């Protein structure tokens, strides 16, 4: 359902959407049921001529069932949510598939910068390719990212990946993504970081291997000029 | 005649009402009016200060009284990515989103005009160890474009320097020399400044020429 509004471009986007949909359906069901029962009771036990209001302690068995049965059913739903959430958490955050490429991502007021290995294939060497506001990646390739912040808290967010990770000054946080189709999409900051927070206008460009290699070659040529 | 006019009048009033409603709907759907300069300047003042005198703590230089053409040109460069997009231009990256928040060229023109009409504020000198006498010799290269009193020349796309914050001039010269400014293809006027910055051999030379600029009258 969510993919009708925002594309699923990473390999784990569907898992996260399914989890959110499951939680929305369960909580939605209980919300509607509770409101219907609540309003129904209000109408059924409204003021009537000749009927005196009474105080109910709720200690009778048939009264306690109104709380006890839903409580146990909600606990069962909680278990279902926890199982689903832990499974996604382990797959996305705890398990790190081996990296085919690594990119350094740096947040600062108010831009995203990216460092990718140059022709030598190694990060943090002289031929690194550095870009601002534009991250070029290959489709069907597992990337590890090393996320840093130069000044204050930021949060690296790629909505089509369903990826959101805080960037914290002084720490290097490693995560991963694998894009499953080509295209250009928004990157945004999801942590208030100052007056320009709403305008950290980066893009992720997901390319085929051929397009990406051509882009890398053009960048390497620019760097040597 | 009266019999014909009476029903027409009866229809005219609601017809006019409908027309007025449509007209007002059209005016709502049209482009929003450009805000006033002082309204747009509210955002700038957050860093540059209410008098545009600058605030070094947030890397914002003095901009009050700069010529409108120069402010417009820089705002457009920031917005289009000619400035503030170099990997090492950290302070430029702070300015770029602000320029991007100006939606149209008209807004850029209005806020630029407003800032250009603010009274010039000459900031206090912050760089201490510049030799103005030596800087006078070095300034010979600068005056061809910026003018003998560093008052700027629109024809050369050279801004006035004689009321600029000295720390900002120092930072800018370092950026030009390192290729952080003046290397973006969208920054054509910056490209003419970059080779000029190369004539200053080191940071002391930059401080010297800035010290001399500080002695010039507006």
């Amino acid at each position: 359902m969510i993919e009708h509004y925002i594309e699923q471009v990473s390999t784990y986007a569907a898992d996260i959407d399914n989890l959110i949909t499951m939680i929305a359906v369960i909580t939605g069901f209980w919300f509607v049921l509770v409101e219907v029962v609540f309003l129904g009771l209000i109408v059924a036990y409204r003021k009537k001529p000749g009927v005196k209001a009474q105080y109910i302690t709720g200690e009778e068995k048939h009264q306690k069932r109104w709380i006890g049965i839903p409580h146990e059913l909600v606990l069962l739903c909680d278990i279902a949510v926890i199982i689903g959430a832990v499974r996604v958490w382990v797959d996305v955050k705890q398990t790190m598939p081996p990296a085919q490429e690594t990119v350094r991502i740096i947040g600062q007021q108010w831009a995203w910068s990216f460092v990718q290995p140059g022709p030598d294939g190694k990060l943090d060497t002289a031929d690194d390719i550095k870009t601002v506001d534009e991250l070029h990646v290959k489709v069907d390739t597992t990337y590890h990212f090393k996320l840093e912040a130069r000044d204050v808290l930021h949060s690296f967010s790629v909505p089509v990946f369903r990826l959101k990770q805080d960037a914290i000054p002084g720490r290097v946080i490693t995560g991963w993504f694998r894009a499953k189709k080509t295209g250009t999409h928004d990157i945004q900051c999801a942590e208030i970081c100052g007056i320009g927070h709403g305008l950290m206008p980066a893009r992720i460009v997901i390319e085929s291997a051929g397009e990406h290699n051509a882009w890398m070659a053009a960048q390497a040529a620019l760097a040597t000029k | 005649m009266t019999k014909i006019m009476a029903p027409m009048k009866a229809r005219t009033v609601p017809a006019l009402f409908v027309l007025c409603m449509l007209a007002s709907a059209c005016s709502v759907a049209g482009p929003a009016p450009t805000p006033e300069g002082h309204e747009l300047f509210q955002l700038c003042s957050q860093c540059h200060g209410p008098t545009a005198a600058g605030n070094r703590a947030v890397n914002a230089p003095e901009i009050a009284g700069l010529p409108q053409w120069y402010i417009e040109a820089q705002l457009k460069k920031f917005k289009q990515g000619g400035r503030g997009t170099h990997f090492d231009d950290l302070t430029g990256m702070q300015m770029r989103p602000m320029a991007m928040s100006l939606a149209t060229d008209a807004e850029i023109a209005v806020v630029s005009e407003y800032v250009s009409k603010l009274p010039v504020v000459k900031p206090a000198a912050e760089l201490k160890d510049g030799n103005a006498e030596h800087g006078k010799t070095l300034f010979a290269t600068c005056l061809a474009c910026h003018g003998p009193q560093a008052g700027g020349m629109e024809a050369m796309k050279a801004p006035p320097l004689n009321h600029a914050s000295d720390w900002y001039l120092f930072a800018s010269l370092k950026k030009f020399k390192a290729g952080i400014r003046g290397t973006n293809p969208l920054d054509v006027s910056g490209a003419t400044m970059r080779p000029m910055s190369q004539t200053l051999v080191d940071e002391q030379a930059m401080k010297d020429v800035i010290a001399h600029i500080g002695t010039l009258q507006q």
Side-chain angles (χ1 to χ4, degrees):
Chain A
M1 191 172 72
I2 300 171
E3 70 268 23
H4 292 300
Y5 299 99
I6 181 163
E7 252 185 297
Q8 295 170 335
V9 178
S10 71
T11 47
Y12 48 64
D15 293 340
I16 293 171
D17 283 0
N18 292 341
L19 177 65
I20 289 170
T21 304
M22 181 180 83
I23 293 170
V25 168
I26 290 173
T27 53
F29 166 78
W30 282 107
F31 174 76
V32 171
L33 181 67
V34 165
E35 293 304 310
V36 166
V37 169
F38 181 58
L39 292 171
L41 291 175
I42 287 173
V43 172
Y45 295 98
R46 69 190 181 280
K47 184 180 178 185
K48 287 173 190 162
V51 179
K52 213 176 166 188
Q54 55 178 311
Y55 177 72
I56 297 169
T57 57
E59 288 166 336
E60 302 292 327
K61 250 187 177 178
H62 73 280
Q63 291 168 345
K64 283 204 277 190
R65 279 204 295 266
W66 285 88
I67 301 295
I69 293 171
H71 181 209
E72 282 154 15
L73 292 174
V74 166
L75 282 178
L76 283 177
C77 292
D78 280 351
I79 291 168
V81 169
I82 289 167
I83 290 171
V86 168
R87 191 179 60 81
V88 171
W89 183 261
V90 168
D91 286 351
V92 177
K93 294 286 188 184
Q94 300 286 308
T95 311
M96 190 83 76
Q100 292 169 279
E101 301 280 350
T102 303
V103 58
R104 188 177 301 287
I105 300 173
I106 305 159
Q108 69 236 348
Q109 292 176 319
W110 289 282
W112 291 105
S113 304
F114 308 98
V115 186
Q116 303 199 53
D120 69 357
K122 290 177 189 160
L123 204 55
D124 298 326
T125 55
D127 70 347
D128 283 353
I129 294 170
K130 297 175 176 178
T131 55
V132 175
D133 292 341
E134 204 167 273
L135 171 61
H136 287 247
V137 297
K138 267 188 284 191
V139 71
D140 295 327
T141 304
T142 302
Y143 277 81
H144 282 193
F145 60 80
K146 307 272 181 194
L147 184 60
E148 299 173 16
R150 271 175 165 150
D151 36 39
V152 297
L153 284 177
H154 299 276
S155 183
F156 181 70
S157 164
V158 185
V160 292
F161 283 3
R162 312 295 190 268
L163 165 61
K164 193 183 282 178
Q165 175 62 57
D166 279 5
I168 300 165
R171 286 184 61 184
V172 180
I173 296 170
T174 306
W176 71 280
F177 60 80
R178 183 181 174 95
K180 60 178 187 179
K181 47 184 155 179
T182 57
T184 301
H185 303 281
D186 287 344
I187 294 171
Q188 58 193 20
C189 180
E191 180 68 55
I192 289 282
C193 60
I195 195 169
H197 161 70
L199 287 158
M200 286 176 66
R203 298 277 183 276
I204 184 162
V205 183
I206 306 158
E207 303 160 317
S208 65
E211 287 168 341
H212 188 70
N213 292 339
W215 177 81
M216 296 278 278
Q219 293 297 309
L222 271 178
T224 52
K225 269 187 183 177
Chain B
M1 189 67 183
T2 317
K3 279 182 183 171
I4 298 166
M5 286 297 289
M8 275 185 69
K9 278 183 185 167
R11 281 196 301 268
T12 307
V13 174
L16 278 173
F17 178 75
V18 170
L19 273 174
C20 289
M21 293 296 284
L22 284 172
S24 70
C26 290
S27 68
V28 169
T34 303
E36 300 281 328
H38 69 89
E39 294 172 307
L40 292 168
F41 181 71
Q42 290 299 312
L43 180 62
C44 320
S45 67
Q46 302 298 314
C47 294
H48 292 279
T51 60
N55 179 1
R56 189 176 183 183
V58 290
N59 305 307
E62 186 263 357
I63 51 171
L66 281 171
Q68 184 181 342
W69 63 264
Y70 178 71
I71 302 169
E72 268 191 72
Q74 300 312 305
L75 283 172
K76 285 179 182 171
K77 276 186 204 174
F78 276 116
K79 187 175 175 180
Q80 291 158 2
R83 280 186 70 180
T85 50
H86 190 282
F87 186 83
D88 293 314
D89 189 4
L90 303 188
T91 52
M93 287 180 203
Q94 292 179 323
M95 179 60 205
R96 184 154 186 255
M98 306 305 136
M100 291 170 75
S101 73
L102 296 165
T104 61
D105 282 358
E107 288 191 10
I108 289 177
V110 165
V111 75
S112 301
E113 184 186 5
Y114 179 83
V115 174
S116 71
K117 288 181 176 168
L118 290 172
V120 167
V121 185
K122 183 141 184 167
E126 293 195 27
L127 295 180
K128 300 297 179 201
D129 48 350
N131 181 339
E133 197 57 38
H134 181 231
K136 190 175 182 180
T137 316
L138 298 170
F139 187 71
T141 314
C142 319
L143 60 80
C145 294
H146 289 279
Q149 292 298 313
M153 274 194 254
E154 182 176 359
M156 305 303 289
K157 308 274 187 234
L161 309 172
N162 54 18
H163 57 90
S165 314
D166 58 2
W167 62 265
Y168 178 73
L169 291 178
F170 186 49
S172 298
L173 280 171
K174 285 198 286 187
K175 281 188 193 177
F176 276 116
K177 194 171 166 77
I180 296 168
R181 274 184 72 180
T183 48
N184 189 302
L186 295 172
D187 186 6
V188 177
S189 53
T192 60
M193 179 62 206
R194 180 158 151 68
M196 301 302 125
S197 67
Q198 310 285 7
T199 63
L200 299 167
V201 290
D202 55 18
E203 291 191 359
Q204 186 58 49
M206 293 177 188
K207 287 178 182 172
D208 291 350
V209 78
I210 292 166
H212 171 68
I213 291 168
T215 66
L216 299 173
Q217 297 301 311
Q218 291 162 33

